[in-house]
């Protein structure tokens, strides 16, 4: 048995294992691509507490689903909300919600009533310092006799001065939502809404869960509209965005993949007029994709949906090796068998693979887990496709002569009319014009590293999210203060110092409010000071209690009983007790707990505008353990730094590839690299003239363009004689297919992928046009 057949059989065994593993993944494991956009983002490895805080905020929001059911009339809104809830009520395995009734409100208040003497608002504390005894006597009598003296939480004797009621009222201001008729109520100037907060009991990022939840929500919406035809429904939740992204990415993957395949099939048919070359190319691509999926799953344990979208563009690159072999087989005579032909082509084929893998591995140098997975997937796909060509094509084709279509003759003849670079006056003038035009175009390039370019949610989801945020005055999960300390009390005290500064910003209308754990559980020091202040100002023997008793006709026994009852509610409230109570459920995400001896919490901000953010972050200046966190700005900054870093990596990659190629091409090495370098510069200039903003994904595309473009230079330099049309045909077919696949990627609705695809589209087309100009002269070829 020849060595060629041995290699073919070994590769057949490997492919059978791949097919078995893929069948296991899809049929047994039933793998579902990951749709979590956060999985694409960099991990903050230097600061685990900061990373934990962000994950905590994201995780808290991830399983929430909020629905607002609105109508002009409250009764219409409640009727529609009841119809909506009735549909979901039967799916306790999917949705969890807390009923709103008197019992839930009593459960909420019970913990705080036991500690009411230590719970004061900042305004009440100031009044206790400033106001005389008569002020508190009048306040207590007003609460006793006035029919509308404010909310009464328990007996008047339990809170004669209204301090606890005032504290509860201030806590209620943290949200505009109020209980009403057994529902949660919120309104704007046009409609009244029933708020339906739900917690998903299935993972929001699971495509299986999305397939279950979304039809139920659609059915519930139809029921609500049937009950109240003019009802307005506002739905918001991570699962809605994840489902939208999944559908968008799946559609794009199908479009790119199918479009690329159809393009390859058509081009191969026009070139060879035979189905065998087409089937061989599709075979190499298919094995490349199966191999990449299989090994990536073993390496990462999951596959992101964006990896599959990006991997669909692999089709436009993986076919290069097969096309190069087939084009050379087309030009070879029958006496040269395919194994011998492969032996002749192997050095060039090996260099093209190495250059392309270097291009893809440039993506793996970024701190983005998603990009690393894309890089590994694509590089592995190329390796598996290359091995298929090397191991199987010589055996499957043998010594048969391939047919050539009319496209081959017409396209091959065009090479003779292509200009060849010479060192003369015309070339110098063209070089000067190119330098000036490219320099001006590149100088027009701006920069945009906004992380939000990673996704493009549908307009209605954005509108619903914005309206819901305004109605609920909800804080953003990506901008907040992180507070750390060596103990629970240190964290709470530092929160209180921060809040004192934020209060001035609220007065200046820079913020509408904040959410903090110390709003509900003041520090032990603050509680001790407040209890002592109440005892001194309100419960002393010469305090207002004596006057209240006289006015109300009560005796000294009543005074003692009232004082004793109030003092009994003066034990400090602990954070542990609060976290175990039902009242803490909406705020538990603010407490991060302890990690490596460090306690941490989050102070979330409401009503923060982009214009006010620079002033708000100054509130942390000079406060120990308080840090401003702006995750969007932070990751965008990382994108900007890596854009600059990857620009240097691209330049270094040219040097590395030059060194790899020099041993084979010597004085012609610059001719291999020059077309890609010039095409990259021209692409940047075109983007500048189009007023595009440069981002990391443009630079990553230039890195990949190096790997792809060098292939074309290698093809041409492997056959320096311009009378040989074989490399020109291979370049044309490879470039056309790459343009098809990455051009379709340029149609992606995700701006980052669109930028990547557009750069590859322009760059590949320019390399295709430029590479024939750098063919070797007869003298250089002879010297070589």
């Amino acid at each position: 048995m020849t060595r060629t057949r041995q290699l073919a059989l070994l590769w057949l065994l490997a492919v059978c294992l791949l097919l078995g593993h893929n069948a296991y993944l899809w049929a047994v494991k039933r793998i579902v691509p990951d749709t979590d956009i956060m999985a694409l983002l960099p991990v903050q490895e230097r600061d685990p507490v900061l990373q934990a805080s962000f994950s905590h905020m994201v995780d808290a929001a991830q399983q929430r689903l909020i629905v607002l059911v609105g109508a002009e009339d409250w009764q219409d809104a409640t009727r529609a909300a009841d119809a909506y809830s009735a549909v979901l009520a039967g799916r306790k395995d999917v949705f969890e919600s807390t009923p709103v009734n008197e019992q839930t409100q009593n459960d909420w208040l019970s913990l705080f009533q036991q500690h009411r003497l230590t719970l004061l608002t900042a305004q009440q504390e100031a009044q206790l310092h400033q106001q005389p005894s008569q002020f508190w006597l009048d306040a207590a009598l007003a609460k006793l006799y006035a029919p509308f003296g404010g909310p009464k939480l328990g007996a008047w004797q339990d809170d004669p001065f209204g301090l606890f009621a005032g504290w509860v009222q201030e806590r209620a201001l943290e949200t505009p939502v109020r209980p009403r008729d057994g529902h949660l109520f919120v309104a704007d100037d046009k409609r009244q809404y029933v708020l339906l907060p739900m917690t998903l009991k299935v993972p929001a990022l699971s495509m299986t869960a999305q397939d279950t939840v979304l039809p139920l929500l659609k059915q519930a919406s139809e029921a609500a509209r049937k009950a109240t035809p003019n009802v307005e429904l506002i739905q918001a939740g991570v699962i809605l965005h994840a489902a939208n992204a999944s559908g968008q990415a799946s559609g794009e993957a199908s479009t790119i993949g199918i479009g690329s395949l159809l393009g390859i099939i058509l081009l191969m048919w026009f070139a060879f007029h035979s189905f065998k070359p087409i089937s061989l190319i599709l075979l190499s691509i298919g094995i490349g994709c199966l191999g990449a999926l299989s090994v990536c799953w073993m390496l990462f344990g999951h596959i992101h949906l964006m990896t599959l979208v990006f991997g669909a563009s692999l089709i436009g690159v993986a076919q290069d090796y097969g096309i190069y072999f087939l084009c050379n087989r087309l030009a070879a005579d029958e006496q040269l068998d395919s194994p011998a032909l492969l032996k002749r082509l192997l050095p060039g084929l090996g260099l093209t693979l190495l250059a392309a893998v270097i291009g893809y591995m440039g993506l793996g140098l970024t701190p983005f887990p998603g990009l690393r997975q894309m890089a590994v997937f694509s590089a592995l796909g190329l390796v598996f496709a290359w091995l298929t060509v090397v191991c199987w094509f010589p055996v499957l084709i043998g010594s048969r002569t391939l047919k050539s279509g009319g496209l081959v003759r017409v396209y091959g003849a065009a090479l003779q009319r292509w200009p060849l670079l010479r060192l003369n006056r015309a070339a110098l003038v063209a070089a000067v014009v190119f330098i000036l035009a490219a320099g001006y175009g590149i100088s027009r390039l701006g920069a945009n590293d906004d992380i939000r370019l990673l996704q493009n949610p549908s307009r209605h989801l954005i509108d619903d999210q914005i309206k819901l945020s305004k109605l609920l005055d909800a804080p953003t999960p990506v901008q907040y203060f992180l507070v750390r300390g060596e103990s629970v009390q240190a964290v709470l005290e530092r929160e209180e110092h921060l809040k004192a500064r934020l209060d001035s910003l609220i007065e200046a209308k820079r913020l509408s409010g904040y959410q903090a754990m110390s709003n509900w559980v003041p520090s032990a020091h603050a509680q001790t000071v407040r209890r002592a202040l109440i005892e001194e100002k309100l419960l002393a023997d010469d305090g207002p209690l004596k006057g209240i008793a006289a006015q109300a006709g009560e005796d000294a026994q009543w005074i003692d009983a009232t004082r004793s009852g109030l003092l009994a509610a003066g034990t400090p409230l602990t954070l542990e007790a609060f976290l175990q109570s039902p009242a803490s459920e909406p705020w538990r995400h603010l407490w991060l707990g302890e990690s490596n001896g460090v306690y941490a919490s989050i102070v979330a901000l409401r009503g923060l505008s982009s214009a006010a953010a620079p002033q708000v972050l100054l509130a942390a200046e000079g406060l120990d353990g308080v840090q401003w966190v702006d995750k969007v700005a932070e990751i965008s900054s990382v994108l900007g730094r890596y854009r600059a870093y990857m620009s240097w990596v691209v330049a270094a990659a040219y040097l590395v590839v030059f060194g790899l190629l020099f041993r084979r091409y010597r004085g012609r090495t610059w001719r291999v690299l020059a077309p890609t370098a010039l095409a990259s510069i021209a692409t940047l200039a075109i983007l500048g003239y189009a007023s595009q903003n440069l981002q990391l994904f443009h630079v990553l595309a230039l890195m990949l363009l190096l790997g792809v473009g060098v292939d074309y230079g290698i093809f041409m330099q492997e056959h320096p004689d311009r009378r040989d049309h074989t490399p020109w045909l291979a370049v044309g077919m490879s470039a056309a297919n790459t343009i098809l696949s990455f051009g379709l990627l340029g149609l992606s609705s995700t701006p980052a992928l669109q930028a990547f695809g557009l750069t590859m589209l322009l760059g590949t087309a320019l390399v295709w046009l430029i590479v024939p100009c750098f063919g070797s002269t007869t003298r250089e070829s002879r010297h070589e």
Side-chain angles (χ1 to χ4, degrees), residues 55-56 67 88 133 348 401 403 412 474 488 493 514 558 669 711 768 777:
S55 300
H56 203 71
V67 180
L88 306 183
S133 181
T401 303
K403 298 177 183 178
V488 171
E493 288 176 17
Y514 49 75
W558 178 89
T669 306
D711 286 1
W768 184 5
T777 62

Side-chain angles (χ1 to χ4, degrees), residues 553-628:
E554 300 289 351
D555 55 16
Q557 187 177 358
W558 178 89
I559 296 175
D560 292 339
T562 301
R563 182 184 292 117
S564 298
L566 289 171
L567 290 172
T571 56
L573 173 61
T574 65
L575 182 66
E576 183 180 3
F578 174 67
L579 291 175
Q580 292 175 354
S581 73
S584 68
E585 194 278 330
W587 323 106
R588 286 173 191 157
H589 64 283
L590 298 175
W591 184 250
L592 301 177
E594 183 266 343
S595 176
N596 297 322
V598 177
Y599 293 83
S601 70
I602 289 167
V603 176
L605 306 178
R606 305 193 333 263
L608 175 64
S609 65
S610 300
Q615 292 176 293
V616 171
L617 66 87
L618 296 177
E621 280 193 354
L623 292 180
D624 289 340
V626 179
Q627 177 183 0
W628 169 250

Side-chain angles (χ1 to χ4, degrees), residues 108-350:
W108 189 90
L109 285 170
S110 61
L111 174 69
F112 302 114
Q113 286 173 325
Q114 299 170 33
H115 306 277
R116 59 186 180 274
L117 200 66
T118 64
L119 302 176
L120 292 176
T121 68
Q123 182 183 13
Q124 289 170 343
E125 190 170 359
Q127 288 175 333
L128 284 168
H129 281 290
Q130 299 166 4
Q131 298 295 342
S133 181
Q134 186 63 41
F135 173 86
W136 296 104
L137 172 62
D138 293 342
L141 293 175
K143 280 186 62 65
L144 177 62
Y145 295 118
F148 303 106
K152 293 180 173 58
L153 305 175
W156 171 82
Q157 192 173 348
D158 293 338
D159 184 29
F161 304 104
L163 296 176
F164 180 59
W167 181 86
V168 170
Q169 278 186 294
E170 186 176 82
R171 300 287 68 74
L173 292 177
E174 294 197 15
T175 173
V177 180
R178 298 289 180 268
R180 179 179 176 184
D181 301 334
H183 296 84
L184 292 176
F185 161 80
V186 69
D188 59 14
D189 55 353
K190 294 181 180 179
R191 286 184 173 85
Q192 303 181 70
Y193 296 88
V194 175
L195 172 65
L196 301 175
M198 289 170 275
T199 302
L200 293 173
K201 299 176 76 172
V202 292
L205 301 177
S206 162
M207 294 179 72
T208 304
Q210 293 161 20
D211 291 341
T212 301
V213 171
L214 264 64
L216 287 172
L217 296 181
K218 183 179 180 181
Q219 185 181 347
S221 299
E222 291 171 352
R225 291 191 175 94
K226 186 176 181 180
T228 305
N230 61 343
V231 70
E232 180 186 14
L233 293 173
I234 301 174
Q235 300 177 128
V238 170
I239 192 169
L240 301 177
H241 290 270
N244 178 72
S246 300
Q248 194 177 86
S250 298
E252 289 176 4
S254 300
T255 301
I256 294 167
I258 294 171
S260 300
L261 282 174
L262 289 176
I264 290 172
I265 291 170
L266 286 173
L267 283 170
M268 294 292 290
W269 175 258
F270 287 135
F272 298 108
H273 277 294
S274 172
F275 284 109
K276 185 167 188 177
I278 296 174
S279 61
L280 288 174
I281 291 292
L282 295 182
L283 178 66
S284 67
I285 292 171
I287 292 175
C289 292
L290 290 176
L293 178 64
S294 190
V295 178
C296 266
W297 183 269
M298 289 188 283
L299 290 174
F300 298 101
H302 67 96
I303 290 291
H304 199 282
L305 193 59
M306 292 297 286
T307 298
L308 298 181
V309 174
F310 186 82
S313 64
L314 172 68
I315 294 169
V317 184
Q319 40 79 39
D320 284 5
Y321 317 118
I323 285 178
Y324 183 54
F325 183 88
L326 292 172
C327 288
N328 279 276
R329 179 68 266 176
L330 184 67
D333 57 46
E334 295 184 20
Q335 295 180 356
L336 181 67
D337 63 6
S338 291
L341 176 62
L342 177 66
K343 188 176 181 180
R344 181 193 297 177
L345 300 178
L346 201 55
L349 276 173

